[in-house]
Amino acid sequence: MPVNQKTINALKILGLTEYEIQAYIATMSLISATATEISLESKVPRSKIYIVLKSLSKKGFVEIINGKPLKFNVIPPNEVFEKSRSYIKEQLDEAENELNFIYQDQIPSVPAPIWLINGSEKNLKKEIEIISRAKESIFILEGLMFKDESRILKDNLEKAIKKGVHIRAIFNESYDEEDIIKEISKLNLEMKITHTPFIKLVIRDKKEMLITFCKIKENKPLPKTAMGIWNQYNEFVEMIYGIYNYIWSTELLKN
C-alpha cells in the first residue's frame, strides 16, 4: 500500500529504518499476518524479515502473537504516534532544559551582554524566553502590545506562576476593556492599570531585562519598527528595577 513521502519522513523521525517502514506499512494493510505474508507484501527479504519485525515489536509498532507460525499484529497508528509523541516531547524537554542551563550560565560571562533586537516577532520571542527563565520574579510594563501577543503572554505568565514566580504587571489603560486583560487579572499576580508610555519592559529576577520601543501611528504600534534592548548588566537592570518599583508605588496608578 503506497504512502506519501511526508508519512515516510515522519516514520523516519520516529526511528524506523527503510525495511522497518516497508514492513510496518505492509502489516498495516494486512492487520495481522505471518512473517512470510509480510515479507511478500513489503518486499523485505525473507532472510531479514524476522529481524525487522522483532525490531518493530521492540519499538512498539507491532505485537508478536505466539503460535505456529508466529503472527504479527499491527499496533494502531494513533497508539504508536501518541506514545512516540510523548517520548519525543520528553526528550526535547530534557535537551532544552540542559542547553538552557548552559546558555543561561554563559550569557553573564559575555564581555558586553547587550543586544539590539529588531522587529516585533523577535522581541516577542525574547520576551517569552525571558519569562520562561524566571525563577523568582517577573516585573512587566506593557505600554504596547503587538498582534496576537496578549494570549501568548497570558499563557506564559500562567506557566511562570505555576513555578512559584512572583509577578507584577502594569498595563496601559487603553487595554482596560479588552477581554484578555480581564483574563490576565484572574491570574495569581499583582496587576495595575494606568496611562503608560508606549514601551514594553520585562525584568526577570533582577538579572535580565528587555525594553522595547517602536513608532506609533494613530495610537497603534508599527510592529516593523520595533527595537528592543536586551541586557544583563546587573547595575543597569537593578537601576531599571528601582524605577519600576517607584512607578508601581506612585499614586498615579489605579487598580
Side-chain angles (χ1 to χ4, degrees):
M1 181 178 292
V3 297
N4 67 48
Q5 189 60 45
K6 288 184 178 179
T7 299
I8 291 173
N9 292 341
L11 291 171
K12 287 180 179 179
I13 290 172
L14 297 184
L16 298 193
T17 65
E18 292 284 354
Y19 276 165
E20 287 170 349
I21 291 171
Q22 290 172 228
Y24 179 59
I25 293 171
T27 311
M28 187 86 62
S29 65
L30 297 168
I31 305 301
S32 179
T34 65
T36 299
E37 291 168 334
I38 295 169
S39 175
L40 290 171
E41 179 71 20
S42 66
K43 304 296 190 296
V44 174
R46 289 191 63 179
S47 61
K48 297 184 180 293
I49 193 65
Y50 276 104
I51 295 173
V52 169
L53 289 170
K54 285 180 180 178
S55 178
L56 282 173
S57 175
K58 286 181 180 179
K59 293 177 180 179
F61 285 77
V62 300
E63 179 185 17
I64 300 176
I65 306 299
N66 289 323
K68 291 186 178 181
L70 291 175
K71 281 214 154 188
F72 299 86
N73 293 352
V74 71
I75 303 296
N78 63 313
E79 292 183 26
V80 170
F81 276 77
E82 185 57 39
K83 288 180 181 178
S84 298
R85 190 178 291 114
S86 298
Y87 175 76
I88 290 172
K89 184 180 185 304
E90 182 180 322
Q91 297 301 303
L92 289 175
D93 286 345
E94 287 182 9
E96 181 185 7
N97 288 337
E98 182 176 5
L99 293 173
N100 265 335
F101 178 81
I102 297 170
Y103 174 69
Q104 292 172 38
D105 187 57
Q106 288 302 113
I107 283 179
S109 66
V110 177
I114 291 182
W115 291 265
L116 296 180
I117 301 173
N118 296 310
S120 60
E121 288 187 10
K122 290 183 179 179
N123 272 274
L124 178 55
K125 285 180 181 179
K126 181 58 65 177
E127 178 182 1
I128 298 307
E129 177 189 318
I130 291 171
I131 290 172
S132 71
R133 286 201 287 268
K135 296 179 180 179
E136 298 176 3
S137 65
I138 299 170
F139 287 4
I140 294 177
L141 173 62
E142 287 288 347
L144 61 87
M145 275 194 186
F146 302 115
K147 184 180 179 182
D148 300 327
E149 176 183 349
S150 53
R151 298 196 182 280
I152 296 173
L153 178 64
K154 185 248 183 187
D155 291 343
N156 283 273
L157 289 178
E158 191 168 15
K159 290 177 185 177
I161 290 169
K162 288 179 180 178
K163 294 193 299 183
V165 177
H166 170 238
I167 299 175
R168 280 183 174 175
I170 301 173
F171 287 93
N172 193 308
E173 61 188 4
S174 63
Y175 303 133
D176 199 7
E177 299 303 320
E178 292 189 16
D179 290 340
I180 189 61
I181 301 305
K182 293 177 182 177
E183 289 299 312
I184 290 177
S185 68
K186 295 176 184 176
L187 299 178
N188 185 24
L189 52 71
E190 294 184 81
M191 176 172 157
K192 294 186 178 182
I193 299 171
T194 188
H195 178 72
T196 68
F198 288 107
I199 63 170
K200 178 191 298 294
L201 173 67
V202 183
I203 305 173
R204 187 270 297 181
D205 297 331
K206 304 182 196 175
K207 296 179 180 179
E208 178 181 19
M209 62 163 281
L210 172 70
I211 183 166
T212 304
F213 311 84
C214 74
K215 292 182 180 179
I216 304 296
K217 185 176 182 180
E218 296 177 355
N219 284 332
K220 292 189 179 296
L222 300 176
K224 291 183 180 180
T225 69
M227 172 70 73
I229 302 172
W230 169 45
N231 80 87
Q232 293 194 342
Y233 272 131
N234 287 341
E235 295 83 356
F236 188 52
V237 174
E238 287 177 5
M239 179 185 72
I240 300 300
Y241 170 81
I243 293 173
Y244 185 99
N245 271 335
Y246 173 76
I247 294 172
W248 179 270
S249 62
T250 61
E251 296 181 1
L252 297 173
L253 295 174
K254 62 177 182 179
N255 290 318

